[in-house]
Amino acid sequence: MEMLWLVVLGTLVVGYFALAGFDYGTGLLLPFRGRDETLRRMTPFFLGNEVWLVAAIGVLFAAFPRLEGELLSGAHSTFTLVLAGLVLFMAAVQLRLWSWLVFTGALMVSVGWGLFLAHLLHAPVVVALVMPALFALHGWVFQTRRWTLFPVTALLCALPIPLAFSSIDVAGLMAHTDTLGLLAWVAIPIIPLVVVLQWSIVAISSR
Amino acid sequence: MSAVDLARLQFALTTSFHFLFVLLTLGLVTLLVIMQTRFTITGAPVHERMTRFWGRIYVINYALGIVTGIVMEFQFGLNWSGLAIYAGDVFGAPLALETLIAFFLESTFLGLWIFGWGKLNRWVHLALLYLTALTAYASAFWIMAANGFLQHPVGYRVEGNVLRLDDFSALLTNPTFNSALMHVIFASITVGGVFLTGVSAYHFIKRTPEVDFFRRSLRMGVITTALATPSLIGAGFAQFPIIAKFQPGKSEATPWIGAPLGFMILIGMTLTMVSWLTLPLLIKDAVIRMRFPLYLMVIGIPLPFLAAIFGWMFREVGRQPWLIYGLLRTEDAVSHVDASQILLSLIVFTSLFVLLACVDWALIARAVRRGPDVTPAPVSPLVVTL
C-alpha cells in the first residue's frame, strides 16, 4: 500500500512538472517570440496541465498528511512565491493580459520551484536557477515542435524535485491503511481517465 | 498580531473571496444546464445564444476562480500544518476526494466543453455540461463533508496523539454536513437567479434591442430565485436544532456573532418576498414596463453574495476557539512559522485576490455590456476575452 501511494504521488508530481513545465517555459520565452502564436499553441493544454498540481497536493494531504504540513510550512515563503506566481501566470495567460505579466508569473513560479529544490537538497541558492533553465528549454522544445526531444526535456523538468524527495523517509508520515485503501478506489481509475480526457481536448482543438 | 491571528485573518479573507467565485460558478452552471438542454431538444437559436452569452460569463468566472482554489488548497499545509498532522487521516479523505473527483475531473470536462463547442455531436456536448455541473456539485459535497467534520467530528478514533478514520459513512451522514450542504447549494442557485435577473434588468434599462433574449433570461432568473429561496431558508432554519445539539455555545462565541446571522436572514427573507411579489408581474411583462423594479434588480445583484459571506462568518467564527470542535484548538493547529512569514503571505494573497475579484468583475461587466453575439463566436475567454 505504501508503494502504491508513492507511485500515485510520483505520477502526479512527474505529470505536473512534465506538462506544466512547458507552460512556464513558454511564459519565459514569451518576450522573445511572437505573442499570439506562442500562446495559441499552449492554449488547449493549459488548464489541463495546471490541474495536475491540484491533484498532487490533494493526494499529498490525504495520503501523506504528516509530510505535507512539514513540507509546505517548512518552505513557507518559497511557496508564497510559487503561488503568487501561479496566480499571476494563470490569470494573465487565460485572459491574454500583458506579455510581461505572463513572463513575470512564469519566472516567479520557476524560480520558486528552483528555491524549493535547493531547500530540499540543502543546496546553495544558485541551484534555484536550474528549474527556470530546464523549463525554458522544455518550452522551447514544445514551441519549436521538436517532438523527439520532448520526452527528454519533459523528464529533465519532471525528475529533479521527485528525486530530491527520495531522500525523505516517508514511513510514519503516511496515513493509516484504512484511509489509503478508501482513497485508492478513487485515485486509481481517475488518473488514467483524466489522461484520456485531456488527450481528447488536445485532439479536438487541433481538428 | 500573533501568527495564529494572522493565519486566521488570511484564511477568512481568502476563503471569502474564493467563495464569491464558487457561488457564481455553481449558480450559473445550473442555469446553463437548463438553457443548453432546451437548445439541444428544441434546436431554437435563442437557447443557443443564451447558452453562449451566459456560458462565456461562467467560463470567465471559472477561469479566475480556479486560481483562488489552488491557493486555498495549499493554505492548509502552509499555515495549518497542525490540522494535517493531527487529523489528516480523516479530514484529508474528503478533501482529497474533492481535488480528485471534483476539481481534477471538473476542469477536464469543462475544457472538453469549451474546446468541443461546435465540433462535437450536440448531445455529447450537452452531456459534457451535465458532467461539469455534476462534478461542480460533487466539489461542494466533499468540501461540505470536510467542513461538517470540523463542526462536529464523527467517524474517527483516537490512536496515540492522532485521529484515524474509523467509519467513512459517518462522515457522509453527519447532521452538520447534510443540512448545510443543501443550504449552500440553494444559496448558489439563488445567486445564479439573482444574477440572471439583475443583468437582464440592466439591459432593459439600457433599452436593449434583444428583447426576447433578455425577457427569457429575466423570467428564468426571477422564477429560479422564487423557487430556490424557500428551500434556502428552510435548509437554513433546519440547522438551528442541529447547532443547538452539537455546538450549544455557537451564538455566544463572540459578542458580535448575531450581526452577520441577522443580516443573512434579513437578506434571505427579502429575496424570497421580492421574488414572489415579482412572479405575478411577469405576466405581460408588467415588471419590465414598470421600469423602476429593474433598478432594484440591478442593485440586488450583490445581496446574495453578501448573505453567503455572512453565513460563513457565523458558521466559522461560531466554531471558535476550536478548529475541530472539541478536539483541536485553532491555536494548536497553526504551523510553526514566523508571524512575519504569515504576514507576508497574508498581504500577497489578499492583494492578489482583491485584484482577481476586480478583474473578474471588470471582465464580466464587459461581457455583459457587449451583450449576446449576433454572429456566433467562440465561448471561451481563452480566445475572446481581450
Side-chain angles (χ1 to χ4, degrees), chain A residues 73-122:
Chain A
S73 64
H76 199 280
S77 297
T78 305
F79 278 105
T80 303
L81 178 68
V82 170
L83 288 172
L86 258 181
V87 170
L88 289 178
F89 181 68
M90 287 187 71
V93 169
Q94 301 199 60
L95 304 173
R96 293 288 186 269
L97 299 173
W98 314 279
S99 315
W100 64 263
L101 200 60
V102 176
F103 173 80
T104 312
L107 188 67
M108 287 163 75
V109 178
S110 350
V111 170
W113 284 124
L115 287 171
F116 184 58
L117 179 69
H119 166 82
L120 284 177
L121 295 173
H122 305 289

Side-chain angles (χ1 to χ4, degrees), chain A residues 14-33:
Chain A
V14 166
Y16 165 65
F17 283 110
L19 292 169
F22 70 75
D23 289 351
Y24 307 140
T26 297
L28 291 172
L29 297 176
L30 200 60
F32 314 104
R33 301 182 65 90

Side-chain angles (χ1 to χ4, degrees), chain A residues 69-184:
Chain A
E70 291 306 309
L71 208 60
L72 295 191
S73 64
H76 199 280
S77 297
T78 305
F79 278 105
T80 303
L81 178 68
V82 170
L83 288 172
L86 258 181
V87 170
L88 289 178
F89 181 68
M90 287 187 71
V93 169
Q94 301 199 60
L95 304 173
R96 293 288 186 269
L97 299 173
W98 314 279
S99 315
W100 64 263
L101 200 60
V102 176
F103 173 80
T104 312
L107 188 67
M108 287 163 75
V109 178
S110 350
V111 170
W113 284 124
L115 287 171
F116 184 58
L117 179 69
H119 166 82
L120 284 177
L121 295 173
H122 305 289
V125 179
V126 199
V127 175
L129 296 175
V130 170
M131 294 313 287
L134 289 175
F135 288 154
L137 180 68
H138 193 33
W140 177 77
V141 167
F142 171 75
Q143 287 290 338
T144 54
R145 298 160 184 258
R146 291 168 206 272
W147 300 125
T148 45
L149 280 177
F150 187 81
V152 181
T153 50
L155 274 183
L156 281 176
C157 287
L159 290 181
I161 287 179
L163 284 182
F165 260 109
S166 59
S167 58
I168 301 173
D169 179 19
V170 293
L173 300 173
M174 292 188 75
H176 193 267
T177 38
D178 292 349
T179 307
L180 296 177
L182 174 83
L183 291 174

Side-chain angles (χ1 to χ4, degrees), chain B residues 156-325:
Chain B
Y156 68 91
R157 63 174 186 273
V158 181
E159 211 176 275
N161 48 5
V162 297
L163 301 186
R164 297 292 189 198
L165 184 62
D166 203 43
D167 177 12
F168 186 67
S169 61
L171 258 66
L172 304 184
T173 51
N174 189 346
T176 56
F177 158 50
N178 300 338
S179 59
L181 174 68
M182 294 323 286
H183 191 54
V184 164
I185 285 177
F186 284 114
S188 34
I189 296 175
T190 305
V191 164
V194 172
F195 184 80
L196 232 69
T197 310
V199 169
S200 310
Y202 166 84
H203 276 275
F204 281 116
I205 293 173
K206 295 281 169 197
R207 311 265 179 203
T208 175
E210 295 280 354
V211 174
D212 181 48
F213 184 101
F214 285 111
R215 187 179 157 272
R216 285 172 185 274
S217 302
L218 187 132
R219 295 172 81 92
M220 192 173 173
V222 172
I223 294 170
T224 305
T225 312
L227 290 180
T229 40
S231 315
L232 166 71
I233 290 179
F237 279 108
Q239 292 180 75
F240 283 117
I242 296 166
I243 291 171
K245 190 170 170 196
F246 298 115
Q247 292 185 351
K250 192 154 197 146
S251 44
E252 286 100 47
T254 53
W256 51 268
I257 193 77
L261 181 68
F263 280 121
M264 177 190 72
I265 293 175
L266 192 67
I267 294 174
M269 297 288 192
T270 309
L271 288 176
T272 315
M273 208 173 65
V274 171
S275 59
W276 280 89
L277 284 177
T278 313
L279 277 182
L281 296 177
L282 291 178
I283 300 166
K284 293 187 177 166
D285 297 327
V287 75
I288 301 170
R289 282 184 281 115
M290 283 159 74
R291 289 196 73 76
F292 82 88
L294 299 175
Y295 293 90
L296 297 180
M297 289 169 174
V298 176
I299 296 169
I301 294 177
L303 288 181
F305 288 99
L306 264 177
I309 299 299
F310 286 142
W312 272 108
M313 276 170 77
F314 177 69
R315 186 167 170 94
E316 298 297 281
V317 175
R319 191 188 58 217
Q320 301 302 327
W322 301 102
L323 203 173
I324 306 175
Y325 199 78

Side-chain angles (χ1 to χ4, degrees), chain B residues 61-121:
Chain B
N61 188 64
Y62 186 92
L64 291 172
I66 197 173
V67 181
T68 63
I70 294 179
V71 175
M72 290 309 304
E73 198 193 10
F74 271 84
Q75 206 171 172
F76 287 111
L78 284 172
N79 290 351
W80 303 102
S81 59
L83 175 64
I85 291 166
Y86 179 66
D89 277 43
V90 190
F91 178 75
L95 210 63
L97 290 173
E98 194 266 340
T99 59
L100 288 170
I101 297 179
F103 210 154
F104 204 28
L105 268 181
E106 181 190 3
S107 51
T108 311
F109 286 135
L110 180 63
L112 268 173
W113 185 75
I114 293 172
F115 289 102
W117 195 284
K119 291 180 177 174
L120 293 170
N121 170 295

